[in-house]
Amino acid sequence: MAIQYQRENHLFTLNTKHTTYQMKVDALGFLLHLYYGARVSGSMEYLLTYYDRGFSGNPADAGNDRTYSLDVLPQEYPQAGAGDYRSAALVIRNADGSEYCDLRYVSHEIKRGKYALKGLPAVYAADDEAETLEITLEDPVGGVLVRLWYGVLEEDDIITRSAEIRNTGSDPICVEKASSACLDLISGDYDFISFYGRHAMERNFQRTPAAHGCQMIGSRRGTSSHQYNPAVILAEKHATEDAGSCYGMVFVYSGNFMCEVEQDQYGQTRALMGLHSDLFHYPLEKGEALVIPETILCHSADGFAGLSGRYHRCIRKHLCRGKYSHQPRPVLINSWEAAYFDFSGETICRLAREAAELGIDMVVMDDGWFGKRNDDNSGLGDWQVNEEKLGCTLGELVRQVNAAGVKFGIWIEPEMVSKDSDVYRQHPDWAVQIPGRKPVLSRNQLVLDFSREDVRNHVFDQICKVLDQGNIEYVKWDMNRSITDIYSAEREQGKVTYDYVLGVYDFLEKLIRRYPDLLIEGCSGGGGRFDAGMLYYTPQIWCSDNTDAVDRLRIQYGTSFFYPVSVVGSHVSAVPNHQTGRSVSLHTRGVVAMAGTFGYELDPETLSGGEKDEIRKQIACYRKYEALICSGDYYRLSDPFEDECAAWAFVSEDREQVLLNVVMQEIHGNMTVSYVRLKGLEADAVYRDMETGTAYYGSALMRAGIPMPVQMGEYLAYQKYFERVKEVE
Ligand code: GLA
C-alpha cells in the first residue's frame, strides 16, 4: 500500500520507492504538512514546534493556547484570511465581500488507481500502478467544500496533486486564487530554479536563493508562455546535477499560471503552484465546482539528474497518449524555413521527391495553404484550401506526396483569426476583444474565443473538412500570439482565461478521438506553450522557432530538466541560420537535432550532392540510435551556459548501449583538452567504443572521463557509440 492512514493519530503517509510524503489532521481539524523528501519511517509529527509568536494570531478554537498559529504551522492547502499571512493556496471571496476561508477535515478515501480530472489533462496509470487519496475539507460557514487529490505512482517516485473547489452554500462565492500544490518545508535552505526566456530563446536556467520575501514566476499571456515555463525546482543550497536534495513541481496546464516561493519570518519555505490570480475571478454559484489543474511533484535525493530521469519517465509513460507516444516518430521535412509562404503544390511535391531520395518519411506543408494567406497579415480562420495556390486539390496533393513514398502532414492554427479574413468579417464577436476598445494586435491577428463552444464547433468542422480530404498523418498545431483584451460575450469575464484553456483541451480531445492515429505536434511560435498539459494531447512540441544549433544547445538543455527528448521537436535547418546568421557544419546541426524528434527545415534543392549524401547518412544514423535516443535514459554531462563543451548522453535502460554527444563551444589558440565524464554506466562493466574498438571500464568513463579531440574549427560535434562488452577482456 503506497498510501497509509493511521487512525490513532490521523496520519497520512504516501510512500513511493524512494520518497515519503506525510501529513496529518490535528486536533482542530486542520490538515498540516509534516514531511516530503527521501524515504523515512515513522511519524514525523515531532517536527512540529509550538511557541507563542508575536503578531501571529491564534484561531478562536485554540482557546487560550497562544502557541498555536496557522501563520507558522506547515499546511497542505493554506487559505487566506484566517490567520496565515503567507501567500495562500486558496483565496475565496464570499457573498458578503469578505476574503476568508476556514477549511477543516471532513473525511477521506483511499482508492486504487490514479484519479482523472474532468476536462483537464492529468497523469494516468493502470490501477495496479497508482493509488489515489482524496481528502475532503470544508468551511461550513462559507459553504466551501474542497477535495484534495493525491495520486501516488509508487514505482515512478511521482506524487500528483489537484483540487476541486465546490460551492456548497446557498450564496455565490468567487475563487480569487487557487493552487493545486503547496509545499510547506519546515526546515532547509533552498534555491529556486526556474526556466525563463523569450520567443526564440526559451527555457534558460536561472537559480536564485529562496530568500525572505516571495518570488514569483508565471504567465498572464493566456498560454504557459516562452517567458517562464510552468515547471520549477526547489533545490537545497548545495544540490547539484548529481547530488543533493531537490523537489520538482510541474504544472499540467497550458494557460496562465503562477508559481510562488516564499521564505517566511521563521525561515520556512513555502512553494505554491497554481492558476495565476491576475485576470482570474472565478464565480461559483450554488452547487458549482472548479477543478484546479494538476501539479506533478517529485523529490530526488540525487540531484537534478535523478529528478529529470523521473520526470522523463513519467511524461513518456503516464502523460503522453496515443499510438505515437511509444512509437518511432516520422523523420519529417517542414516547408517553413524551406519556402515560408512562397510555395505551390509543385513545391511540396518536389520536397516530397527530395525527401524520398534522402530517406525522410514525411513532408509537412506549413503555413500558407489556405484562405488568402500569402503572408502573415491575413487569412487565419478561413480554413479552406487555396487550390489556386496549390494548383490542385488537397486530396490530389496528398496523393502525389504519398505516391512519392512520403507521408503528408499539415500546419494549422485553429485558435486564431486575421482581421482580414472572411470569418472575422462575418463574426467579429468571435474574437477575444472588449466591446468599445481597439484590441491589441500581435502578428496582425486576434484570438478566437475558444471558451465558446459554438466558436470551437465552427473551427472544428472546418478543420475536419480539411483533414478528411486525404491521408493526412500529422498536424502541427500552432498558436502565434499571446492573449490580451480578455472578454467574452458569453460568460463572466473572470472565467475567460481558464475556460479558454479548457476549450482548447476540449477541441484537442475531440480531434484525437476522431483521428486516433494522427500525430499532433504542438507549437506556439516554437516553445511558447511547451508544457505538460499540451503533452497529454500532442506527444511532441516544436521546441523553439530558433533552429540555430548553438542556441539550441542551451534551449534543449533547459528543456531537458523536465521534458524527455521524445517530445522535443528539433530539426536541422539551413546555414547561415535564419534566426542568428550563424553557420555551423551539417554534422553539428545533425547531432543537436538528434536530441529530439528529428527532422529537417530546409530546401534540399539548395544542397550539394555531398551534403545530400551526408543527410542520408545522418538519417541512417538517427534510425540506428532512435530507440536508444527516445527510450533510453538521458544524461546532461555539462552545462552549456558555463562549460567549454555541451555534452549529453543516452544510456539504454539495461546499460548495454551508450551514445555520447558533444559539441565544442569554445575554440582558442593552443587549445586545452576537454574531458567529458559519462554517467549512468555500470561501473564494473567494460564498454567498447564501436568506432575505434578501444574498451574502457564504466568506472573510468564516469570518473576520469574521455578526452575530446583538439581540432581546429568552430562548434565541432562528436558522437561516440559504446557497447557493453559481454566478457571482460
Ligand atoms: C510559428 C511556428 C513556425 C511556423 C510559423 C508559421 O512561428 O513556430 O514554425 O510554423 O509559425 O507561420
Side-chain angles (χ1 to χ4, degrees), residues 356-595:
E357 251 188 59
L358 295 171
I360 295 172
D361 306 311
M362 174 183 276
V363 65
V364 175
M365 179 165 69
D366 209 283
D367 196 354
W369 54 266
F370 53 91
K372 192 185 105 198
R373 183 77 172 167
N374 290 317
D375 58 37
D376 59 11
N377 291 305
S378 60
L380 289 170
D382 295 340
W383 301 108
Q384 288 85 39
V385 180
N386 185 345
E387 294 180 353
E388 204 182 310
K389 177 168 177 174
L390 295 186
C392 60
T393 64
L394 180 60
E396 184 49 36
L397 179 61
V398 177
R399 270 191 297 280
Q400 286 181 40
V401 167
N402 285 174
V406 176
K407 295 175 195 289
F408 183 88
I410 200 164
W411 177 97
I412 55 174
E413 197 179 0
E415 298 153 80
M416 292 295 151
V417 67
S418 302
K419 273 193 129 173
D420 184 2
S421 66
D422 291 340
V423 72
Y424 183 77
R425 279 183 283 272
Q426 281 157 23
H427 303 282
D429 62 310
W430 283 6
V432 177
Q433 54 183 326
I434 304 170
R437 295 186 190 272
K438 289 195 177 127
V440 172
L441 287 172
S442 181
R443 214 190 188 205
N444 228 341
Q445 64 198 55
L446 295 171
V447 182
L448 283 174
D449 184 356
F450 259 46
S451 68
R452 281 175 58 172
E453 203 181 355
D454 56 339
V455 175
R456 295 200 302 272
N457 285 345
H458 170 87
V459 182
F460 190 78
D461 289 348
Q462 302 298 304
I463 297 292
C464 290
K465 277 187 195 139
V466 172
L467 296 181
D468 290 343
Q469 285 180 38
N471 178 26
I472 299 178
E473 297 181 68
Y474 160 107
V475 153
K476 177 173 169 190
W477 175 303
D478 215 335
M479 201 289 187
N480 275 319
R481 63 159 290 181
S482 303
I483 307 180
T484 55
D485 303 86
I486 290 163
Y487 179 89
S488 171
E490 300 262 307
R491 65 200 59 237
E492 288 94 340
Q493 303 317 320
K495 287 180 159 186
V496 179
T497 51
Y498 175 90
D499 289 358
Y500 177 92
V501 180
L502 265 74
V504 173
Y505 291 153
D506 176 61
F507 192 120
L508 279 159
E509 190 65 45
K510 279 199 196 127
L511 199 64
I512 290 170
R513 294 239 162 113
R514 183 166 166 149
Y515 304 100
D517 288 341
L518 185 69
L519 171 61
I520 311 178
E521 175 155 354
C523 179
S524 174
R529 198 159 57 181
F530 201 112
D531 56 63
M534 285 308 283
L535 288 174
Y536 187 69
Y537 306 94
T538 70
Q540 61 191 56
I541 301 179
W542 183 228
C543 180
S544 175
D545 268 352
N546 188 342
T547 56
D548 174 293
V550 177
D551 277 353
R552 275 289 183 121
L553 293 172
R554 291 182 173 193
I555 297 170
Q556 292 177 188
Y557 169 82
T559 306
S560 78
F561 278 81
F562 300 98
Y563 306 104
V565 288
S566 57
V567 310
V568 176
S570 192
H571 298 164
V572 173
S573 62
V575 287
N577 179 269
H578 295 191
Q579 293 80 42
T580 61
R582 181 158 33 210
S583 292
V584 304
S585 73
L586 188 52
H587 177 62
T588 299
R589 283 176 276 153
V591 170
V592 176
M594 279 185 211

Side-chain angles (χ1 to χ4, degrees), residues 333 338 350-351 354-355 358 360 602-608 612 615:
I333 184 157
R350 180 176 59 73
L351 279 179
E354 304 256 22
L358 295 171
I360 295 172
L602 45 73
D603 185 354
E605 207 173 49
T606 60
L607 301 174
S608 68
K612 286 187 183 176
I615 286 183

Side-chain angles (χ1 to χ4, degrees), residues 21 75-78 89 161 180-184 249 270-272:
Y21 189 109
Q75 293 165 70
E76 277 300 301
Y77 205 61
R161 286 194 60 178
S180 53
C182 171
L183 266 188
D184 262 358
M249 297 176 100
R270 169 172 292 176
L272 294 167

